[in-house]
Amino acid sequence: MEKKISRVKRIKGELRVPSDKSISHRSIILTSLADGISIVKNFLKAGDTLTTLNVYRKLGVSIIEEKGVLKVKGVNLKGYREPEDVLDMGNSGTTTRLTLGLLSGQDFFSALTGDDSLRQRPMGRVADPLRSMGAKIDGRQNGKLLPLSVRGSSLRGIQFYNKKSSAQVKSALLIAGLLAEGKTKVTEPYISRDHTEKMLEAMGADIQIDRDNEYSVTISGSKKLEGIEIDVPADPSSAAFFAAAAVLIPDSELLLKDVLINPTRDGFFRKLKEMGGNIQYLNIREKAKEPVADIHVKYSPELKGIQIKKEDVPSMVDEIPLLSMIATQAEGETIITGAEELRVKESDRIKAVVDNLRNLGIDVEELPDGMIIKGKQKIKGGVVDSYKDHRIAMGFSILGLISEEGIKIKDADSVFISYPEFYEHLEKIILN
Ligand code: S3P
């Protein structure tokens, strides 16, 4: 589906964007490990999280929905069922990597595959450390790419230093650590999103966090976990698109309700504020052990370019493409480095941003690990290839709202992966 987004006069209103994708995945994967029933309110129903729901049903987990609330009946660490067929992980890296950790410690055989994008994404980053725990994983290119097979086996705890900081790698190893003998310790130079360790701790897992210069989580194996209740807040990665629109479009004002502001996730909002964005957290409170706020955003005519460095990346990894688009409207240059991880997301997001910005007539310099964007550039309009990547489609849709002649987005229906209602929500807040 192709979608044309045209210039608008202003946007205004209130939105509760869909629930957090990372917490929704974990609200099934982690609670399925419990010895007991968990209740999940406000589960995100979007492409990626529905993949998780289907996969865990195929692994024998009972997940029922009653009046919009999910009940997940945990199987107590090792009570999963051998799947009858290859598990289809769709577009979801999170489902794949976390589930690889879980399947490595079961007593059965399983096979996993995914769509064209997922089959190109690196799985060695989880398969290699899992193998050093005793996992038997094989697949394409020596077990580095999907399709992968897992012959479940007994695992032993390891100490692993992950110099790339990744929540998916950390989570896969912590899940495998639960199923392993002894302790498993994962260290990363900069903290990546910490929902896994928070949720497992709430379920009664034996977890120790160390924050010296770096960040480490240690988990003990073979502990019984309890069911919990989770109310999933709104996704900051989805709220970011509308915050960007409000900041860029004259006279605009938005209230984004119920948004997760966990410091491992809200880097985009902090950086946008640093650029001169008119952003305020209101009504800060706690929901399911996570900090949440209503975010008030207003038009911000005096944005300034900034620098994004390696240490800034984990807390805004999925929002960097959007920030680079906003940077085209700021005063001065924005320099993004240390973000080579973007090359192995749902698409090569550095190339996707640079090529599309250039097609729209915008001057941008590509770096191996980021880009340099000149500010105060006019956006004439044109055609954007989303590369079937939901965040590229949504980011350029926002730029369409300030373009002179409109932007056509190819494969705009990819927004279904994290935000199926994106274009309806956009219609709701446009005042022409
Ligand atoms: C995610 C972690 C991030 C992020 C992805 C979701 C998660 O990846 O890009 O969209 O839910 O754990 P890495 O932390 O592995 O880079």
Side-chain angles (χ1 to χ4, degrees):
M1 179 189 90
E2 198 174 86
K3 188 114 193 157
K4 181 162 183 195
I5 307 292
S6 305
R7 190 182 185 86
V8 298
K9 286 218 179 75
R10 65 180 185 131
I11 58 168
K12 197 174 169 60
E14 257 185 45
L15 271 184
R16 198 279 185 190
V17 303
S19 291
D20 191 68
K21 182 153 85 69
S22 291
I23 296 182
S24 293
H25 280 302
R26 288 159 174 80
S27 77
I28 291 184
I29 300 174
L30 302 181
T31 63
S32 78
L33 289 154
D35 183 19
I37 291 176
S38 295
I39 306 288
V40 186
K41 295 180 186 159
N42 286 309
F43 178 76
L44 169 69
K45 280 195 180 159
D48 264 10
T49 47
L50 290 174
T51 291
T52 291
L53 193 95
N54 288 334
V55 164
Y56 279 76
R57 281 189 171 143
K58 290 195 167 130
L59 289 169
V61 180
S62 153
I63 306 165
I64 50 171
E65 186 176 345
E66 268 170 26
K67 294 184 193 140
V69 174
L70 297 186
K71 280 191 184 160
V72 185
K73 194 166 174 219
V75 302
N76 191 12
L77 300 176
K78 294 200 176 176
Y80 296 89
R81 188 175 68 206
E82 185 173 71
E84 284 170 17
D85 203 346
V86 178
L87 296 168
D88 183 0
M89 299 290 168
N91 191 242
S92 180
T94 306
T95 318
T96 310
R97 295 191 176 117
L98 273 59
T99 303
L100 277 171
L102 186 142
L103 293 172
S104 295
Q106 301 302 318
D107 295 326
F108 53 72
F109 173 81
S110 49
L112 294 70
T113 192
D115 70 8
D116 294 349
S117 150
L118 195 60
R119 290 197 316 278
Q120 292 180 47
R121 296 183 63 189
M123 296 299 155
R125 55 177 62 194
V126 284
D128 293 341
L130 285 171
R131 276 188 208 104
S132 68
M133 296 177 78
K136 295 189 179 128
I137 299 174
D138 206 349
R140 244 173 5 116
Q141 298 209 358
N142 275 327
K144 291 197 183 309
L145 292 178
L146 290 172
L148 290 170
S149 68
V150 185
R151 168 64 62 194
S153 52
S154 36
L155 304 177
R156 52 191 176 270
I158 52 162
Q159 300 212 359
F160 183 70
Y161 182 76
N162 192 23
K163 72 172 192 287
K164 276 190 179 148
S165 293
S166 155
Q168 295 181 352
V169 173
K170 174 174 64 178
S171 302
L173 299 182
L174 292 178
I175 293 170
L178 265 176
L179 305 169
E181 199 143 297
K183 291 190 175 203
T184 297
K185 181 175 180 182
V186 185
T187 304
E188 38 190 24
Y190 310 111
I191 182 173
S192 64
R193 63 194 67 191
D194 60 357
H195 310 305
T196 297
E197 46 272 44
K198 281 176 109 169
M199 206 181 281
L200 286 176
E201 194 161 38
M203 293 170 70
D206 180 7
I207 287 202
Q208 195 199 321
I209 309 280
D210 294 301
R211 287 169 183 266
D212 314 320
N213 285 332
E214 300 183 309
Y215 175 86
S216 302
V217 197
T218 306
I219 194 164
S220 304
S222 306
K223 176 105 170 38
K224 245 192 190 181
L225 301 175
E226 293 152 22
I228 50 167
E229 195 173 312
I230 301 161
D231 187 354
V232 188
D235 194 328
S237 300
S238 296
F241 296 105
F242 290 103
V247 156
L248 293 175
I249 304 169
D251 296 329
S252 294
E253 184 170 358
L254 274 186
L255 187 66
L256 299 159
K257 310 249 318 188
D258 208 19
V259 183
L260 175 76
I261 53 162
N262 177 319
T264 65
R265 294 291 302 283
D266 77 338
F268 168 81
F269 291 97
R270 284 184 275 121
K271 281 288 169 190
L272 191 52
K273 215 170 168 178
E274 197 184 313
M275 289 175 84
N278 196 332
I279 293 169
Q280 265 185 304
Y281 288 172
L282 306 175
N283 189 17
I284 298 175
R285 57 208 185 268
E286 209 174 78
K287 208 171 193 182
K289 300 213 154 60
E290 293 281 3
V292 167
D294 299 331
I295 305 183
H296 185 246
V297 193
K298 276 167 78 170
Y299 174 53
S300 313
E302 288 180 22
L303 294 178
K304 298 207 164 35
I306 46 160
Q307 289 205 17
I308 307 285
K309 295 190 176 143
K310 202 174 182 58
E311 59 269 29
D312 303 317
V313 171
S315 70
M316 58 183 301
V317 62
D318 294 334
E319 290 69 68
I320 290 176
L322 178 64
L323 193 110
S324 62
M325 295 177 210
I326 298 171
T328 64
Q329 304 307 302
E331 181 79 53
E333 249 177 22
T334 292
I335 303 172
I336 302 171
T337 53
E340 62 275 6
E341 218 13 57
L342 297 198
R343 297 214 178 263
V344 290
K345 293 293 181 188
E346 286 85 327
S347 66
D348 175 343
R349 286 180 172 162
I350 294 178
K351 180 175 157 25
V353 169
V354 168
D355 287 359
N356 281 312
L357 283 178
R358 284 185 184 149
N359 279 342
L360 296 174
I362 290 167
D363 192 10
V364 50
E365 186 183 332
E366 180 171 359
L367 304 174
D369 61 343
M371 63 191 95
I372 302 175
I373 309 115
K374 289 207 185 73
K376 292 282 178 205
Q377 302 193 62
K378 276 223 163 84
I379 300 165
K380 194 160 170 279
V383 181
V384 156
D385 189 346
S386 69
Y387 296 93
K388 299 189 176 155
D389 180 333
H390 54 133
R391 300 203 197 279
I392 298 300
M394 290 189 275
F396 280 100
S397 296
I398 298 302
L399 272 197
L401 300 171
I402 57 162
S403 66
E404 285 168 6
E405 292 166 11
I407 293 181
K408 269 193 196 156
I409 315 277
K410 281 194 199 163
D411 294 311
D413 41 349
S414 56
V415 303
F416 176 67
I417 288 300
S418 62
Y419 198 158
E421 312 86 337
F422 178 74
Y423 289 108
E424 284 137 56
H425 282 186
L426 189 54
E427 287 293 321
K428 246 175 65 176
I429 54 165
I430 294 176
L431 299 177
N432 265 324

